[in-house]
Amino acid sequence: MKLIAGVDIGNSTTEVCVGGVASDGTLEFLSSVSRFTTGTKGTVDNVAGIKTALEMAMEKLNRPVGDLSLIRINEAAPVIGDTAMETITETIITDSSMIGHNPSTPAGAGTAVGELLSIRHLGQGDTGTPYIVVADRSVTYEAVAELLNKAMERMQIVGVILQADEAVLVENRLKKKIPIIDEVRNVDMIPEHKMAAIEVALTGDSVRMLSNPYGIATLLDLDAEDTKAVTPIAKSLIGKSSAVVIKTPHGNVKENVLPAGEITIVSKDGNRRTINIDEGAVPIMNLLEESGEIQDMVGEAETNVGNMLSGIKNNMENLTSEQTGSVHITDILAVDTLAPVLISGALAGETCMEKAVGIAAMVKTKQLPMERIAQVLTEQIHVSVKVAGVEAVMATLGAMTTPGTTLPLAILDLGGGSTDAAMIDETGTVRMTHKAGAGELVSMLIQIELGLHSRTTAEEIKKYPVGRVESLFHMRLENGGMHFFEEAIDPRLFGSVVLIEPHDLIKIEENVAMEKIIQVRKEAKQKVFVRNALRALREIAPEHNIKKIPNIVLVGGSAEDFEVPEMLMEELAKYKIVCGRGNIRRTEGPRNAVATGLVLSYIGGKHDDE
Ligand code: ADP
Ligand code: MG
């Protein structure tokens, strides 16, 4: 029996399928493997990942890689959709006249306005002025309480700001109850003798005065212009349990704006259309559709989007060692999102959420050097390697091994960087398209909108449902249902929002409400996959009419998603289309379509190893 391997090199994943061909020509699938792609798709760096995947697949058969008669690798589409995402927003760098802060365990409740005074200078305070006293970590909570109690007999102390996490310890020792805010890391940045307002919310509530520009104006006596400048700070304090806003001298306000910029779409017919990113995702996508087939896209110089697009092109030129100017951007997906913007002057790195546009771009190079990969691979493992078959066609061949499918058939390949679609009819005619934006853009949107530190957490939120552990024995599920545990679970999970992985519960360390996670996650998937599916299907459908596509098989890593296939099914039901997650070879789920197609086409083809 002859052993043939199909290898699919994707942006994210390298997949292998090994088939055995008997002397009578019958084919049997023997093993398959999936590994992370090493390096950028289409570069020689991929060889390392391919070798490991092949070794793993052959190990399952207890055979060395050298026993393979032939390796067939995909003619990868010369389009790459990853590394090309950024959030474009007008960045306002304001040297604000205010600073805000949000500690998690303040004490007392209410608002206070007063002049800032260091605990070391209590003696300088006069009797007629209300003071907010600032204490750094070097003064113990006992000493702070004692000094304050003594000073309160003589002067008016209305609030306290502490560097240490000791608000409650100080409060318990004070004779008079006043709002106390702690955990102000950069306490040394607080300017003495300036006016400040502090607010501590009642338990379970959030600040009301300091999260409202007019509230800040009321407390700190601001004019209309200062009130406008303080709006981002008010926004950043929404939902916080406590806050400090300090009024610094007028005239300190400096603004430096890097504009979002304009993007120019150059059509194949030579027409140029220009739009400002500030217009938002919908007008951008409408203009793109109006532009027909696209030659290239360019961003305005010295703007956010200009920097982003030229960065992508340069990066791709370097990776594929193509000449400057030979890499083009043939598609983008713009989505409306919210991104955190750092407020300068913040005491603890506070941000406020500003409207932004997220962009994924599709880069087209001249031709990916797949032949070069084949050559290097042959040299290293001494097996003949052929570049065989267009990726989209191979994916369709593989998808047809899903039970219940028939021609004409369309596939949607939901990958990491791009959403690809192909349609094959009874005569074997294939139409295909590649759209920017897929699983990675979804993860990026989740990370940005939830303000997560790590992309890994965002990936996990994308992949698994969430629940809230309400006792050691039960958990509230996303759909409102309840799950009971037979044994008490880890007490550290108590009260937390957790990701429900198949064999484990993972605590989400960030303090985000479960409802917010669900909303952001679903919206991100809708924005990327539903919109891209419709764009792609319209392009490949007979007469661009989606209703003329009878059935669609979903393949690729993102088709494994627990809710994306349902979202697409719901949307496509409007067009009376049969659509579902593929089950390649009845066993592989939506994975391994291209690799399987590569092995199948060997049987159907003219045996290119001979
Ligand atoms: P490519 O063909 O471009 O290499 P893949 O088909 O391997 O891409 O898809 C990669 C994408 O699939 C990534 O964005 C990854 O996050 C996503 N993905 C993988 N498994 C799952 C899953 N169980 N649920 C949701 N998304 C997933
Ligand atoms: Mg793929």
Side-chain angles (χ1 to χ4, degrees), residues 8-13 15 41 74 391 413-416 418 420 556-557 591 594:
D8 166 29
I9 307 147
N11 286 307
S12 319
T13 321
E15 291 179 337
K41 168 175 171 172
N74 58 319
E391 191 169 323
D413 183 349
L414 313 174
S418 68
D420 304 332
R591 288 280 192 183
V594 176

Side-chain angles (χ1 to χ4, degrees), residues 10-13 415-416 439-440 459 462-463 556-558 560-561 591:
N11 286 307
S12 319
T13 321
E440 278 167 43
E459 273 283 315
K462 175 175 82 172
K463 287 186 187 167
S558 299
E560 291 203 87
D561 192 280
R591 288 280 192 183

Side-chain angles (χ1 to χ4, degrees), residues 90 118 138 153 162 167 176 196 245 247 249 274 283 352 436 440 456 489 492 508 570 581:
E90 189 174 80
S118 161
S138 67
E153 291 169 7
L162 299 176
K176 202 177 126 215
V245 174
K247 186 174 177 179
T274 296
C352 74
E440 278 167 43
T456 319
I489 58 162
R492 276 172 298 185
I508 297 176
E570 217 165 274
R581 187 187 276 125

Side-chain angles (χ1 to χ4, degrees), residues 276-295:
N276 199 303
I277 293 291
D278 279 343
E279 303 254 332
V282 175
I284 298 172
M285 295 314 287
N286 286 345
L287 194 72
L288 194 67
E289 197 161 328
E290 211 178 280
S291 304
E293 220 180 315
I294 299 192
Q295 173 71 35

Side-chain angles (χ1 to χ4, degrees), residues 545-559:
N545 183 353
I546 297 185
K547 284 190 181 145
K548 301 211 163 165
I549 302 175
N551 54 109
I552 299 172
V553 176
L554 306 174
V555 301
S558 299

Side-chain angles (χ1 to χ4, degrees), residues 105-119:
T105 53
T111 57
V113 182
E115 187 181 314
L116 292 163
L117 186 67
S118 161
I119 194 143

Side-chain angles (χ1 to χ4, degrees), residues 360 434 509:
H434 310 275
E509 297 296 341

